[in-house]
Amino acid sequence: MRIDDRIERLLRATMDAAVHRDTPRFEKALRKFRDAESVRKAVDLALAISAFVLFQMYSGKPSAAQIAELAASISRQEAWMGLTTDDVESLLGGMLNGEPTRAPLLADTIMIPAILVATNLVTTTSQPSKGEWWFNYLDKIETAIETP
């Protein structure tokens, strides 16, 4: 995947707002994705980040039961934005089963769940006690998923 630097900066700012549960800042950051192409690229990057973390967590593709358990946990943690277990399970299941997210309406619909799930996975799997804060871990993930 080739990461667009502008989209990465916008996504990182949006993720930071999510980390701090700052709803006004999160909503303002979302509005900076002004066109369908920006939304699609942000969703693609958020899904790639999530996929990378999931494959690391489970040493491969997680099972349906693991996804269901994870979805329940993430939805509880991200309830501040109204994220439901069904939202998370649908997003992760679709991503892991290769369901398309290219249609502009679909990309717009899954943007918030995609960003919240990616943020949650990065923050809950980073290791601040070892000096690896979420944004440092995000740097490592992006290096791993980006192709020259």
Side-chain angles (χ1 to χ4, degrees):
M1 150 175 241
R2 183 78 183 121
I3 297 175
D4 180 312
D5 290 338
R6 184 182 72 82
I7 297 300
E8 192 281 336
R9 283 190 305 276
L10 293 173
L11 181 60
R12 188 176 289 256
T14 308
M15 291 174 75
D16 187 65
V19 166
H20 293 95
R21 306 293 194 261
D22 187 336
T23 304
R25 190 162 58 101
F26 183 76
E27 290 172 348
K28 183 178 179 182
L30 286 173
R31 288 191 296 274
K32 293 186 179 184
F33 297 98
R34 292 196 169 112
D35 56 54
E37 182 70 9
S38 294
V39 170
R40 185 192 59 76
K41 286 180 178 181
V43 168
D44 286 350
L45 180 54
L47 293 177
I49 291 165
S50 293
F52 180 89
V53 174
L54 285 175
F55 276 78
Q56 292 291 307
M57 286 173 63
Y58 295 102
S59 299
K61 184 178 176 181
S63 68
Q66 289 169 319
I67 290 297
E69 184 179 331
L70 183 62
S73 175
I74 291 173
S75 67
R76 279 191 304 274
Q77 295 170 51
E78 304 304 333
W80 67 282
M81 281 299 295
L83 199 61
T84 68
T85 300
D86 286 343
D87 292 335
V88 178
E89 196 165 357
S90 175
L91 177 78
L92 295 176
M95 176 189 70
L96 292 169
N97 293 316
E99 294 174 7
T101 59
R102 293 277 180 218
L105 180 60
L106 182 56
D108 191 44
T109 303
I110 68 168
M111 184 173 190
I112 292 173
I115 292 171
L116 291 175
V117 168
T119 302
N120 183 282
L121 290 172
V122 170
T123 58
T124 58
T125 57
S126 63
Q127 299 179 20
S129 63
K130 296 181 181 178
E132 182 181 70
W133 297 94
W134 74 269
F135 42 85
N136 301 124
Y137 185 42
L138 181 59
D139 290 340
K140 290 179 183 179
I141 294 167
E142 290 173 347
T143 298
I145 64 177
E146 185 164 37
T147 55

